[in-house]
Amino acid sequence: MILPIYIYGQPVLRKVAEDIPQDYPGLQQLIADMWETLAESDGIGLAAPQIGKSIRVVVIDLDVLSEDLPEYKGFRKVFINAHIVEFDDSQTDTSEEGCLSLPAIHEKVERPTRIHVKWLDEQMQPHDEWVEGYLARVMQHEFDHLEGHMFIDRISPLRKQLIKSKLRSLMQGRYRCSYKTKAIMK
């Protein structure tokens, strides 16, 4: 089932998400719904808070970029109870980011190129590894949602001031989007 994407201003986007137990009810259906919602919205990543659930579940599909980034051919993964353990700040990269919860807003964000992450996969098997490159950027973006952060929190105060009216429009439900959304209507 395609779920609505929660838009900037929804309180769930600013909460720290909870780890879930291994027997979380309806988890496989939730994951299937997240995959379907992600595909419908033409995104590459979706965190549970973006569909109104304050739990630590993320889906990432980099296969859609495999024509330009062949190393991600077939890359579709679920991350449960994901946490960034450590950032390797010795090298950073600045690239433009967008977000399904912030339609039509794109800004340059500086992030470390290498991170240490822990998570469980769909079979609840633990993973603990260092990740680098584009995947590290996507994971940081999506895992930020689990901590109640959004990429606009990582831009300069000047850039944030310049997009203030766009953010206000999102909060007022004044935006156009090709996918199903849920905004705060004031």
Side-chain angles (χ1 to χ4, degrees):
M1 174 172 55
I2 297 168
L3 304 168
I5 306 276
Y6 280 53
I7 299 299
Y8 177 79
Q10 289 280 5
V12 70
L13 295 172
R14 293 306 192 173
K15 289 182 182 168
V16 176
E18 301 282 327
D19 280 352
I20 61 170
Q22 294 203 6
D23 60 350
Y24 185 83
L27 180 61
Q28 292 309 313
Q29 184 60 53
L30 173 67
I31 291 168
D33 292 346
M34 288 178 72
W35 281 124
E36 193 174 348
T37 301
L38 182 63
E40 178 69 18
S41 60
D42 290 326
I44 59 172
L46 183 65
Q50 292 180 276
I51 55 163
K53 300 206 174 290
S54 190
I55 58 173
R56 298 186 87 86
V57 178
V58 169
V59 295
I60 296 177
D61 180 0
L62 294 184
D63 183 63
V64 297
L65 304 175
S66 63
E67 196 169 295
D68 295 325
L69 299 168
E71 64 271 30
Y72 296 117
K73 180 82 177 144
F75 187 99
R76 282 175 47 98
K77 285 191 179 179
V78 177
F79 300 87
I80 299 168
N81 296 345
H83 292 272
I84 297 175
V85 179
E86 186 179 353
F87 296 90
D88 177 354
D89 292 325
S90 65
Q91 192 171 358
T92 62
D93 175 59
T94 302
S95 290
E96 190 171 272
E97 292 186 18
C99 181
L100 296 174
S101 294
L102 292 158
I105 296 178
H106 296 86
E107 292 291 329
K108 291 186 184 235
V109 179
E110 182 179 16
R111 295 193 186 267
T113 58
R114 190 168 173 262
I115 57 172
H116 179 197
V117 292
K118 288 185 178 184
W119 79 93
L120 302 173
D121 61 25
E122 275 182 273
Q123 287 74 44
M124 294 299 188
Q125 295 302 306
H127 297 265
D128 180 341
E129 67 182 87
W130 282 91
V131 177
E132 54 190 59
Y134 189 71
L135 176 58
R137 171 172 294 279
V138 174
M139 289 172 99
Q140 287 173 79
H141 177 107
E142 296 306 329
F143 295 0
D144 268 358
H145 283 298
L146 304 179
E147 300 299 334
H149 301 298
M150 300 179 87
F151 81 87
I152 56 169
D153 301 335
R154 301 194 180 283
I155 62 177
S156 72
L158 174 61
R159 289 300 313 160
K160 196 155 185 183
Q161 187 64 34
L162 291 171
I163 64 168
K164 194 174 184 177
S165 66
K166 288 181 181 179
L167 294 174
R168 190 174 18 260
S169 292
L170 290 176
M171 288 183 68
Q172 294 169 345
R174 293 185 289 119
Y175 59 90
R176 288 208 170 114
C177 211
S178 63
Y179 46 88
K180 196 169 157 182
T181 63
K182 183 173 175 97
I184 294 178
M185 303 303 267
K186 292 192 177 192

